[in-house]
Amino acid sequence: MAKKKLTTASGIPYTENENSMTVGPQGPILLQDFILHEKMAHFNRERIPERVVHAKGTGAFGKFTVTHDITKYTKAKLLSKIGNECRVFVRFSTVGGEKGSADTERDPRGFAMKFYTEDGNWDLVGNNTPVFFIKDPKKFGDFIHTQKRDPRTNLKSPTMMWDFWSLNPESLHQVMILFSDRGTPYSYRHVNGYGSHTFSLINAKNERIWVKFHVKTLQGIKTFTGPEAEAMKAKDMDWAQRDLVEAIERKEFPKWVMKIQTMTNEQAKKFRWNPFDLTKIWPHTEFPLIDVGIMELNEIPSNYFRDVEQSAFEPAHVVDGIGYSYDKMLQGRLLSYPDTHRYRLGVNYEQIPVNRPINQVNNYERDGHMRVDSNGDDKPNYSPNSFDDIAADESYKAPAQKLDSDMAYWFDRNENDDDHFTQPGWLFRKVMTDDQRQNTIHNFVSSMSKIGTHKREEIINRQLGYFYKADIELALKVAEGLGIDFKP
Ligand code: NDP
């Protein structure tokens, strides 16, 4: 069979791929060898900015199948009938590390899902934890700086981390999860996903209900202990990626079951915490889990850069029948995700195949860097116009929401909003087994013992105070482990 011609990006056949054009056998190289320039220049530009968070990740395609009827809550077309299916793309990641960092670091895991529905893309951009470290997006950049590198030493800094956490008591719930063995999952197949934020569902009668999404692993939760995670880091930095790729190649397709919790507006008004606070969960006994469907991952992309590195998710992408809530962190993410994609991938990032919806896109956005579709051809590029038949569809309008409040910089919305301790206390006492409690204490001691000498006592005492409010035994055991005479 005849070989295909090697060509430049503009289709010009190469005559020579290994030797540059020179004057005589010893050189110098001629400037007119533009193929040499093209090869070098393209290579020099192969890296795009890595994500500022969630840089290290892996992804897979699969399908979502509706197994239960939740049409009384939502008119989303995807969820309108048992048996409905759609293609999905899921990207798992760690949060703080760079692209080359280890998969087994103690860190939350990103669990970003894209559902390609007939009404456009629905992105559920979750984590493997139901809560987060902060409840206001104004703190996000500060918080992430503490998880990255010290500006002087360029090293990770337990001092920065514990300084920030100990000055932000609302972080305690997520810190408790992070330092339990769930902070070092065995692999991505064995983590749950949580939409984490409160969203809303809107039904055919245009009634709105608040909702939380849970995506529970059917492989079972499996974790490393702290020392096991450290050992795996030395053995295989890419362990979680390898585990996912190899499982799918063996045709062991991992599956998750999607469930929801719902809360009416009346319940929300009476709930003892702010239902829109990302540092709180809704207890299962009061808001039981309701089954929705099954997600299966069954295809590793044939090109990592094309589909995984260039994938872009945004919490703003909800489809008809699903809506936002007042969750401040969600509101902040509605802004920051598309903003970061425009910086990282360019303004036309939604034309990249993995980000493209399956339905037709019609609008008046034109031009910009890397416009690679038909750019609207010769059709009008303004609206309204007298020539095309594109119109907004009012039937997609979400019902109005009444807001009656004062404009201010709020932190505590209601009486219990400064209660950052009850729920982490439940987790430690009611949910964890004895072994898990021991491991959590060990993990706290191991990390806090690395806090630097300057202000060490102050930071540790502040944090022990929060532990004490969540659980007395926890505070005393961590203090003992650190060799500190803690006086609450
Ligand atoms: P439940 O006993 O009904 O549920 C406990 C939940 O905790 C389960 O979802 C379980 O996940 C999860 N879990 C177990 N160990 C850990 C861990 N180390 N880190 C994080 N999650 C863990 O309890 P409640 O609903 O009354 O909540 C009690 C506490 O459980 C909460 O304060 C919160 O800390 C934690 N939690 C609650 C969730 C919720 O949405 N209600 C969700 C996740 C955690 P699984 O079943 O998959 O093993």
Side-chain angles (χ1 to χ4, degrees), residues 298-397:
N298 51 28
E299 181 190 334
I300 293 295
S302 59
N303 187 282
Y304 178 88
F305 182 87
R306 183 192 63 207
D307 293 337
V308 185
E309 191 60 10
Q310 295 194 108
S311 61
F313 301 84
E314 25 192 311
H317 288 171
V318 294
V319 291
D320 189 39
I322 304 173
Y324 311 136
S325 79
Y326 314 127
D327 178 340
K328 291 184 220 177
M329 288 296 292
L330 172 61
Q331 296 278 331
R333 291 176 81 206
L334 300 183
L335 165 83
S336 71
Y337 279 65
D339 187 47
T340 189
H341 302 326
R342 287 180 195 117
Y343 163 68
R344 197 173 69 86
L345 301 166
V347 69
N348 286 312
Y349 66 93
E350 282 170 304
Q351 290 170 28
I352 297 170
V354 67
N355 301 325
R356 218 183 276 156
I358 53 168
N359 55 333
Q360 198 176 348
V361 174
N362 300 311
N363 60 40
Y364 301 90
E365 289 160 18
R366 296 288 189 275
D367 308 352
H369 279 297
M370 297 309 298
R371 184 84 203 200
V372 292
D373 66 354
S374 64
N375 194 30
D377 270 324
D378 57 353
K379 307 287 182 308
N381 59 0
Y382 62 93
S383 169
N385 68 66
S386 315
F387 306 103
D388 70 20
D389 59 353
I390 299 172
D393 184 344
E394 298 230 337
S395 69
Y396 282 80
K397 236 180 211 170

Side-chain angles (χ1 to χ4, degrees), residues 128-131 173-174 176-183 191-192 194 212-217 220-221 223 261 272-273 279-287 289 421-428 430-433 436 440:
N128 71 328
T129 60
V131 294
H173 200 179
Q174 177 78 323
M176 188 78 84
I177 295 174
L178 182 64
F179 283 84
S180 77
D181 287 338
R182 297 236 177 162
V191 297
N192 292 338
Y194 300 90
K212 280 196 187 279
F213 292 96
H214 301 250
V215 184
K216 297 252 198 180
T217 174
I221 292 283
T223 54
Q261 286 178 295
R272 58 198 175 290
W273 292 287
T279 65
K280 306 285 192 303
I281 54 86
W282 302 351
H284 290 133
T285 43
E286 291 166 61
F287 303 95
L289 292 167
F421 312 105
T422 302
Q423 294 196 355
W426 287 348
L427 177 61
F428 188 74
K430 292 198 313 187
V431 179
M432 287 187 199
T433 61
Q436 288 166 350
T440 305

